[in-house]
């Protein structure tokens, strides 16, 4: 996959400045959440997972854990909706579980705004048009998040992601950050109906071009 354009310097500088300030200002809150997660879920307090980043390059994404490790009689993890704890639901509904991703932003693996980093196994399931979402850094929030988040279908999310790739501007990022604050306060679009977050994306090869 070839990038349509390099990551704008203004975007990277803005990410560095804002994420650094937020980490400093929110450090007491980060410590409190870490303690609560440790009490409710045990160690480790962070959920770590390999995700595809810019141009699909893998990186380790960090979040606060929102689920316990409950298993069935055969030792298999229970479904997400059964392992999501009361604390986990609160962290997700307020997006506080995403705060450790600020360190991914500082490391240059993510941006404050961009398509959400999904799962590595999805890479082979995208259409060529959907795969263009990786032409920019993944973000903590994005155009799809402020237009429905997990309440959207996968196809709708990917259309919005590609639209962002084609229409990025500094002021669009500012608009998305402002809309994100409103969405978080209203706790909208946290999950898809019947799921703790969203169903797995299985691909849509029969759909053709988006």
């Amino acid at each position: 996959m070839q990038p349509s354009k390099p990551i704008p310097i203004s975007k990277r500088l803005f990410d560095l400045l804002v994420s650094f300030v937020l980490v400093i200002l929110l450090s007491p809150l980060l410590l409190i959440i870490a303690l609560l997660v440790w009490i409710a879920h045990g160690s480790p307090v962070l959920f770590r997972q390999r995700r595809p980043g810019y141009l699909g390059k893998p990186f380790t994404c960090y979040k606060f854990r929102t689920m316990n490790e409950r298993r069935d009689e055969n030792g298999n993890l229970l479904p997400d909706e059964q392992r999501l704890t009361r604390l986990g639901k609160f962290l997700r509904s307020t997006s506080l579980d995403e705060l450790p991703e600020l360190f991914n932003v500082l490391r240059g693996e993510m941006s404050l705004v961009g398509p959400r980093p999904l799962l590595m196994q999805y890479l082979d399931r995208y259409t060529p048009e959907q795969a263009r979402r990786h032409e920019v850094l993944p973000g903590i929030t994005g155009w799809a998040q402020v237009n429905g988040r997990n309440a959207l279908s996968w196809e709708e999310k990917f259309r919005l992601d590609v639209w962002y790739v084609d229409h990025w501007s500094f002021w669009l990022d500012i608009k998305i950050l402002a809309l994100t604050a409103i969405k978080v306060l209203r706790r909208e679009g946290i999950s898809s109906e019947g799921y703790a977050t969203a169903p797995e994306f299985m691909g849509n090869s029969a759909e053709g071009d988006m």
Side-chain angles (χ1 to χ4, degrees), residues 71-121:
R71 298 175 182 268
D72 61 21
E73 61 274 11
N74 297 317
N76 300 313
L77 287 171
L78 293 175
D80 289 356
E81 56 269 21
Q82 296 183 37
R83 296 190 295 116
L84 186 62
T85 65
R86 181 177 299 180
L87 173 63
K89 290 179 181 178
F90 172 77
L91 293 177
R92 288 193 179 191
S93 68
T94 56
S95 295
L96 291 173
D97 63 316
E98 310 275 0
L99 289 180
E101 292 176 355
L102 289 171
F103 294 99
N104 288 120
V105 177
L106 287 173
R107 289 158 58 103
E109 298 160 334
M110 291 181 64
S111 174
L112 293 172
V113 180
R116 287 292 298 155
L118 300 175
L119 300 178
M120 292 298 299
Q121 60 261 37

Side-chain angles (χ1 to χ4, degrees), residues 17-198:
L17 175 62
V18 174
S19 59
F20 178 78
V21 171
L22 287 176
V23 166
I24 297 300
L25 294 178
L26 298 177
S27 55
L29 178 60
L30 290 168
L31 291 174
I32 291 172
I33 295 175
L35 177 60
L36 292 175
V37 171
W38 179 75
I39 292 172
H41 305 149
S43 182
V45 299
L46 292 180
F47 172 76
R48 299 174 174 85
Q49 190 174 55
R50 298 288 278 174
R51 298 285 180 95
Y54 182 56
L55 303 184
K57 181 180 179 180
F59 73 100
T60 301
C61 183
Y62 301 102
K63 295 184 180 183
F64 282 118
R65 282 180 60 201
T66 57
M67 299 183 189
N68 57 37
E69 296 296 314
R70 291 177 56 200
R71 298 175 182 268
D72 61 21
E73 61 274 11
N74 297 317
N76 300 313
L77 287 171
L78 293 175
D80 289 356
E81 56 269 21
Q82 296 183 37
R83 296 190 295 116
L84 186 62
T85 65
R86 181 177 299 180
L87 173 63
K89 290 179 181 178
F90 172 77
L91 293 177
R92 288 193 179 191
S93 68
T94 56
S95 295
L96 291 173
D97 63 316
E98 310 275 0
L99 289 180
E101 292 176 355
L102 289 171
F103 294 99
N104 288 120
V105 177
L106 287 173
R107 289 158 58 103
E109 298 160 334
M110 291 181 64
S111 174
L112 293 172
V113 180
R116 287 292 298 155
L118 300 175
L119 300 178
M120 292 298 299
Q121 60 261 37
Y122 291 0
L123 287 176
D124 294 333
R125 302 176 187 176
Y126 296 135
T127 65
E129 181 72 2
Q130 291 170 343
R132 294 189 57 229
R133 68 193 306 277
H134 293 292
E135 292 179 7
V136 297
L137 282 170
I140 295 178
T141 186
W143 189 233
Q145 280 59 51
V146 298
N147 282 283
R149 198 174 174 180
N150 285 323
L152 298 172
S153 70
W154 282 114
E155 289 74 21
E156 290 170 324
K157 291 179 188 177
F158 297 147
R159 287 190 184 97
L160 292 169
D161 288 341
V162 173
W163 185 92
Y164 173 82
V165 171
D166 290 334
H167 295 84
W168 174 85
S169 71
F170 178 78
W171 296 111
L172 178 59
D173 277 4
I174 297 297
K175 177 181 179 179
I176 291 173
L177 290 172
L179 290 173
T180 298
I182 296 173
K183 291 286 184 178
V184 168
L185 290 174
R186 293 178 177 174
R187 303 189 186 184
E188 295 177 347
I190 303 302
S191 62
S192 296
E193 185 175 355
Y195 296 87
T197 51

